[in-house]
Structure formats: structure tokens, C-alpha cells
Amino acid sequence: MLRIILGAIGAAFCGVLLIAFGTGAYNHLTEPAAVTVEQEFHLQPKALHLASDGPFGKFDRRQLQRGFQVFKEVCSACHSLRLVAFRDLQALGYTEAEVKAIADQWAIQQPAVDPETGEATTRKSIAADRFPLPFPNEVAARAANGNALPPDQSLMTKTHHGGAAYVYSILTGYQDQPPELLKKFPDAKTGTGLHYNPYFANLNLAMAPPLNDGQVTYSDGTAATVDQMAQDVSAFLVWTAEPKLENRHSAGIATVAFLIVFSVLTFLSYRNIWAGRPH
């Protein structure tokens, strides 16, 4: 009797599942979900080719230095680089003296308070320090950026689909909303304080276009166009996210070469051992 009851319960449960599945499939076929403005107008990242791409890629250190200059003079006003230390910049080709001079330009806030002014005390950075935060806390960061929190850029190219191409596309993708978007989705008009960018997930960014032609002056004479600066800082952020990339590529190539040689030797040994023996 118990088996019959349990069997009936199982059959009823399976029946409910089949009815739910059938109802859902029917509704999906007869009433497809409405396409959202993000689904229709969001664009995939633009193509971007960097020297570090591919299994044989190596960093273009002149480009990395230009990218660091863009970060220092433009991005660091709002964005942090909390996983990178000043001394790491020697990998970009800077000398120890140059790294010390760069660190000296940043002030580190300390937990102590100046008894005379009541303000937080600061000290000069040293090469061993990591890049300081541009704001003392999240509240201050949001207050200065329209309640939006500027993300840390240390791992930006690792945490976003598209990597460096995503960063490059965001920086060069600001534009006016297309008329067809407003015609089809009149309620999707970009609000006050936001900026339309089809490469961002919800199409609207609180960050204003950060780059303008000639905004920095490159010491190597490269023209500082928006496109060039976007490429350079994207390449720099690839390095911050994976500074050992070249070592990984070298290790991978050496490993593949070893496996190929080992496979050939193993095959030749096999042929030699079994040569002349009946199969």
C-alpha cells in the first residue's frame, strides 16, 4: 500500500513538472520575451591589437610608459591602482631614481590626525608603497562622482569580458544616443549626469568622457589623440593585471617544446623496442 501511495505521489510530481515545462515552452513560442534596449543597442568591444597579445606576445615598454602617463595625469584623479607598488614600475623600464621621483609625487594618508588642524596627516610615498587611493573612503569617492564609485583599475582587464579591448572601447565609445533608440525606446533617454556609451552594459555611464586630444604630452613625441591614449592606457592595464605575462608565455613555449621533443623520443623508443617483433 505504501509503495502505491509513494508511486502516485512521484507520478503526480512528474506530471506537474511536465505541465510546467509544457506551459513555459508554449508561452516562450507564442509570446517571446520583449527585447530590451540593452540587448538591442549594447555593442561588443572593438578589435584591439597589442604587442602582448598571443602566446608569443611581449610588452611594448614604450607604450606601457605612455599608458602609465595617461593613468597618472588623467585616470588617477578618480581611480585607484591599489595592487601595484611604485617599485613595480621598474619593469616598465624606469630606473630606481625615476621610480623614487614618481613615488615622491604621491602623498600617503596616515591614520594619525594633525592636532593643530584636525586633518589627517600625510607623508611622502616611497618606492615600496602601493599607489594610494584618490579618496580617503568610499563615501568621499561617491560624493565626488555623483554617487558612483570609481572602480579600482588594477585588475580591470582581467575582470571584464574583452579585457583591454573593453577598456579601449569604453574610452573611445562615448557618443550621442542614436535616433532609432529614442524612437523605439523613448523612456530610455540618458538621464542627467549620465553619458551614453554603447560598450557599457547598461549603455549609460556616470563617468564623463575622460580623454581629449592633446590632453597629455608624450615625451617620445607620439601624438596624444584620444585613440592613442586609450590604446596606451589599455596596454598599461594589461600589465597591471598580469605583470608576469611574458614569463608565463616563455614558460608555456618551453613546456610545449619539451613535450614535443619528449613525444618524438618516446615514439622513436617505441619503434626501436618493437622493431622486428611480430605483431
Side-chain angles (χ1 to χ4, degrees):
M1 186 65 179
L2 181 60
R3 285 187 175 183
I4 296 176
I5 295 175
L6 293 176
I9 293 174
F13 180 73
C14 292
V16 170
L17 287 179
L18 289 174
I19 292 173
F21 175 78
T23 302
Y26 175 79
N27 291 336
H28 178 73
L29 294 174
T30 58
E31 300 178 11
V35 177
T36 65
V37 61
E38 291 84 3
Q39 290 173 328
E40 184 162 345
F41 289 92
H42 175 58
L43 301 179
Q44 293 302 309
K46 304 176 185 178
L48 176 65
H49 303 288
L50 299 174
S52 57
D53 292 343
F56 302 100
K58 291 184 176 296
F59 288 122
D60 178 348
R61 280 164 174 72
R62 291 182 64 183
Q63 183 175 44
L64 296 187
Q65 289 190 14
R66 293 197 303 268
F68 170 64
Q69 184 178 347
V70 174
F71 172 81
K72 181 177 69 172
E73 297 184 17
V74 181
C75 308
S76 65
C78 297
H79 294 277
S80 57
L81 206 62
R82 60 184 179 82
L83 299 181
V84 181
F86 288 105
R87 62 186 173 192
D88 296 334
L89 295 177
Q90 291 186 55
L92 274 57
Y94 292 107
T95 64
E96 185 176 349
E98 288 174 328
V99 169
K100 288 182 179 179
I102 291 171
D104 192 60
Q105 299 172 12
W106 263 274
I108 299 286
Q109 286 197 344
Q110 301 186 104
V113 175
D114 188 328
E116 296 183 2
T117 63
E119 297 179 354
T121 58
T122 60
R123 65 168 175 83
K124 293 291 185 67
S125 298
I126 60 174
D129 289 322
R130 293 183 178 181
F131 281 81
L133 302 178
F135 303 100
N137 51 55
E138 181 178 330
V139 175
R142 289 186 180 277
N145 293 277
N147 203 39
L149 181 64
D152 179 78
Q153 294 192 331
S154 304
L155 302 176
M156 181 69 70
T157 58
K158 281 292 186 183
T159 57
H160 288 78
H161 173 69
Y166 168 80
V167 176
Y168 168 73
S169 300
I170 289 291
L171 293 175
T172 59
Y174 289 91
Q175 56 188 266
D176 294 330
Q177 282 187 299
E180 56 269 27
L181 182 152
L182 296 175
K183 183 177 180 180
K184 191 169 184 179
F185 301 96
D187 295 334
K189 182 176 176 60
T190 298
T192 303
L194 298 177
H195 307 272
Y196 180 76
N197 193 316
Y199 298 98
F200 191 62
N202 67 4
L203 308 180
N204 295 290
L205 270 169
M207 180 178 70
L211 301 176
N212 298 291
D213 289 338
Q215 194 167 356
V216 303
T217 301
Y218 287 137
S219 59
D220 62 2
T222 301
T225 62
V226 169
D227 189 82
Q228 183 65 58
M229 289 186 289
Q231 290 187 47
D232 293 342
V233 77
S234 298
F236 172 70
L237 293 179
V238 170
W239 173 79
T240 64
E242 194 170 5
K244 302 299 183 183
L245 178 142
E246 291 177 329
N247 295 340
R248 180 170 61 81
H249 285 178
S250 298
I253 293 171
T255 301
V256 171
F258 168 78
L259 291 175
I260 291 174
V261 172
F262 179 76
S263 299
V264 171
L265 292 176
T266 301
F267 176 72
L268 293 176
S269 299
Y270 163 78
R271 293 293 301 271
N272 184 59
I273 291 173
W274 291 93
R277 297 191 180 188
H279 294 284

